[in-house]
């Protein structure tokens, strides 16, 4: 039995050692002060007020786990609605400015590139100070 456990542990380590490297066909610049207003407008278009309403409605007489699930679904619905109805052009324009790639070209890139760009923007250490200040404003 311990031999089977050792084999499983060895396989798990081997899987962890082989991390998938995701190719990024872009380079993002560091955020600067001129990005603040477009980013705030984008956040507003994504429905920040509706997020608050989602939390308030979900919290009525339910447990924490149920509230969490409802809020996540409500927020996802709000974001999808806003992106599909009013924010998509602004999103492409903003990340076009960060990457130097025309918005029309970003639209034609491999599926998943824009979400990866968005993730990288928020994950970048070089943008940490920018987001600290931004979230203080919210």
């Amino acid at each position: 039995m311990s031999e089977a456990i050792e084999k499983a542990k060895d396989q798990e380590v081997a899987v962890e050692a082989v991390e998938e490297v995701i190719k990024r066909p872009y380079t993002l610049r560091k955020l600067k002060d001129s990005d603040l207003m477009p980013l705030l407008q984008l956040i507003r278009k994504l429905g920040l007020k509706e997020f608050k309403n989602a939390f308030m409605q979900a919290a009525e007489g339910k447990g924490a786990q149920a509230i969490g699930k409802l809020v996540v679904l409500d927020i996802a619905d709000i974001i999808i609605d806003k992106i599909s109805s009013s924010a998509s052009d602004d999103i492409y324009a903003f990340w076009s400015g960060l990457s130097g790639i025309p918005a029309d070209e970003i639209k034609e890139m491999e599926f998943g590139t824009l979400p990866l760009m968005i993730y990288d923007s928020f994950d970048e250490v070089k943008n940490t100070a920018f987001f600290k200040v931004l979230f203080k404003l919210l």
Side-chain angles (χ1 to χ4, degrees):
M1 181 163 181
S2 65
E3 187 176 319
I5 293 172
E6 285 299 317
K7 275 186 177 181
K9 285 182 182 179
D10 288 342
Q11 288 175 345
E12 185 177 317
V13 170
V15 169
E16 289 176 6
V18 181
E19 282 189 28
E20 182 181 349
V21 177
I22 300 172
K23 183 181 174 189
R24 288 168 166 77
Y26 57 84
T27 303
L28 300 175
R29 66 169 170 75
K30 185 176 179 179
L31 290 168
K32 52 189 177 181
D33 280 346
S34 64
D35 294 320
L36 180 61
M37 296 309 161
L39 192 54
L40 288 174
Q41 289 173 347
L42 194 55
I43 290 169
R44 184 174 185 146
K45 279 190 174 184
L46 289 176
L48 195 58
K49 285 183 183 179
E50 287 91 345
F51 293 172
K52 179 184 81 170
N53 294 338
F55 279 103
M56 291 174 68
Q57 289 175 4
E60 295 175 4
K62 296 180 179 72
Q65 192 171 21
I67 291 170
K69 289 177 184 177
L70 289 173
V71 168
V72 167
L73 289 173
D74 282 347
I75 289 174
D77 182 53
I78 291 165
I79 290 173
I80 290 168
D81 177 55
K82 298 295 182 176
I83 287 174
S84 63
S85 64
S86 64
S88 65
D89 288 339
D90 294 326
I91 291 169
Y92 283 111
F94 184 80
W95 271 275
S96 172
L98 286 183
S99 67
I101 301 170
D104 289 338
E105 286 184 31
I106 294 174
K107 290 177 183 179
E108 298 302 319
M109 290 179 143
E110 183 179 348
F111 182 76
T113 301
L114 180 62
L116 191 58
M117 290 172 93
I118 294 169
Y119 173 81
D120 286 346
S121 299
F122 288 93
D123 191 48
E124 292 283 326
V125 173
K126 63 186 176 188
N127 292 325
T128 302
F130 180 90
F131 287 113
K132 282 182 181 178
V133 173
L134 175 66
F135 288 117
K136 284 182 183 181
L137 293 174
L138 301 176

Short mmCIF file of all heavy atoms in Angstrom, two decimals, residues 1 11 21 41 46 50-51 70 72 85 103 122 137:
data_model
loop_
_atom_site.label_atom_id
_atom_site.label_comp_id
_atom_site.label_asym_id
_atom_site.label_seq_id
_atom_site.Cartn_x
_atom_site.Cartn_y
_atom_site.Cartn_z
N MET A 1 0.82 -1.18 0.00
CA MET A 1 0.00 0.00 0.00
C MET A 1 0.88 1.26 0.00
O MET A 1 0.59 2.21 -0.71
CB MET A 1 -0.93 -0.01 1.18
CG MET A 1 -1.84 1.18 1.22
SD MET A 1 -3.18 0.84 2.33
CE MET A 1 -4.07 2.32 2.17
N GLN A 11 4.03 10.86 -9.11
CA GLN A 11 3.29 11.34 -10.28
C GLN A 11 2.78 12.76 -10.05
O GLN A 11 2.80 13.59 -10.95
CB GLN A 11 2.12 10.40 -10.59
CG GLN A 11 2.57 9.07 -11.16
CD GLN A 11 1.41 8.11 -11.35
OE1 GLN A 11 0.33 8.31 -10.82
NE2 GLN A 11 1.66 7.05 -12.11
N VAL A 21 3.33 26.68 -20.03
CA VAL A 21 3.73 28.06 -20.28
C VAL A 21 2.77 28.63 -21.32
O VAL A 21 2.66 28.11 -22.42
CB VAL A 21 5.18 28.14 -20.80
CG1 VAL A 21 5.55 29.57 -21.13
CG2 VAL A 21 6.13 27.55 -19.78
N GLN A 41 -14.19 54.81 -15.68
CA GLN A 41 -15.37 54.76 -16.55
C GLN A 41 -15.73 53.33 -16.91
O GLN A 41 -16.90 52.95 -16.94
CB GLN A 41 -15.14 55.58 -17.82
CG GLN A 41 -15.11 57.07 -17.57
CD GLN A 41 -14.70 57.85 -18.80
OE1 GLN A 41 -14.21 57.31 -19.78
NE2 GLN A 41 -14.89 59.16 -18.74
N LEU A 46 -19.24 48.61 -16.04
CA LEU A 46 -19.41 47.20 -15.68
C LEU A 46 -20.43 47.02 -14.57
O LEU A 46 -20.76 45.90 -14.22
CB LEU A 46 -18.07 46.58 -15.29
CG LEU A 46 -17.11 46.36 -16.45
CD1 LEU A 46 -15.78 45.83 -15.94
CD2 LEU A 46 -17.69 45.41 -17.48
N GLU A 50 -24.69 48.09 -9.38
CA GLU A 50 -25.46 46.85 -9.38
C GLU A 50 -24.83 45.79 -8.50
O GLU A 50 -25.51 44.95 -7.94
CB GLU A 50 -25.63 46.32 -10.81
CG GLU A 50 -26.62 47.12 -11.65
CD GLU A 50 -25.96 48.24 -12.42
OE1 GLU A 50 -24.80 48.62 -12.13
OE2 GLU A 50 -26.62 48.79 -13.33
N PHE A 51 -23.49 45.83 -8.35
CA PHE A 51 -22.82 44.88 -7.46
C PHE A 51 -23.33 45.07 -6.03
O PHE A 51 -23.62 44.11 -5.32
CB PHE A 51 -21.31 45.06 -7.47
CG PHE A 51 -20.64 44.70 -8.77
CD1 PHE A 51 -19.30 44.99 -8.94
CD2 PHE A 51 -21.31 44.09 -9.80
CE1 PHE A 51 -18.66 44.67 -10.13
CE2 PHE A 51 -20.69 43.76 -10.99
CZ PHE A 51 -19.35 44.06 -11.15
N LEU A 70 -25.00 33.30 -4.47
CA LEU A 70 -25.92 34.22 -5.15
C LEU A 70 -25.22 35.47 -5.64
O LEU A 70 -25.46 35.94 -6.75
CB LEU A 70 -27.07 34.60 -4.21
CG LEU A 70 -28.08 33.50 -3.92
CD1 LEU A 70 -29.07 33.95 -2.85
CD2 LEU A 70 -28.83 33.10 -5.19
N VAL A 72 -22.01 35.85 -6.37
CA VAL A 72 -21.13 35.53 -7.50
C VAL A 72 -21.94 35.41 -8.79
O VAL A 72 -21.54 35.95 -9.83
CB VAL A 72 -20.33 34.23 -7.22
CG1 VAL A 72 -19.67 33.70 -8.48
CG2 VAL A 72 -19.30 34.47 -6.14
N SER A 85 -23.40 44.61 -23.72
CA SER A 85 -24.27 45.69 -24.16
C SER A 85 -23.56 47.04 -24.31
O SER A 85 -23.89 47.80 -25.21
CB SER A 85 -25.45 45.85 -23.21
OG SER A 85 -25.00 46.24 -21.92
N ALA A 103 -7.20 47.82 -31.39
CA ALA A 103 -8.35 47.10 -30.84
C ALA A 103 -8.89 46.05 -31.81
O ALA A 103 -9.25 44.94 -31.40
CB ALA A 103 -9.45 48.08 -30.45
N PHE A 122 -3.89 43.16 -13.83
CA PHE A 122 -4.18 43.21 -12.40
C PHE A 122 -3.15 42.44 -11.59
O PHE A 122 -2.96 42.71 -10.41
CB PHE A 122 -5.59 42.67 -12.12
CG PHE A 122 -6.66 43.61 -12.56
CD1 PHE A 122 -7.23 43.49 -13.83
CD2 PHE A 122 -7.11 44.62 -11.74
CE1 PHE A 122 -8.22 44.37 -14.25
CE2 PHE A 122 -8.10 45.51 -12.14
CZ PHE A 122 -8.65 45.37 -13.40
N LEU A 137 -10.12 55.00 -3.99
CA LEU A 137 -11.09 55.91 -4.56
C LEU A 137 -12.49 55.29 -4.64
O LEU A 137 -13.48 56.00 -4.62
CB LEU A 137 -10.68 56.33 -5.98
CG LEU A 137 -9.41 57.19 -6.08
CD1 LEU A 137 -9.04 57.38 -7.53
CD2 LEU A 137 -9.65 58.53 -5.40
#
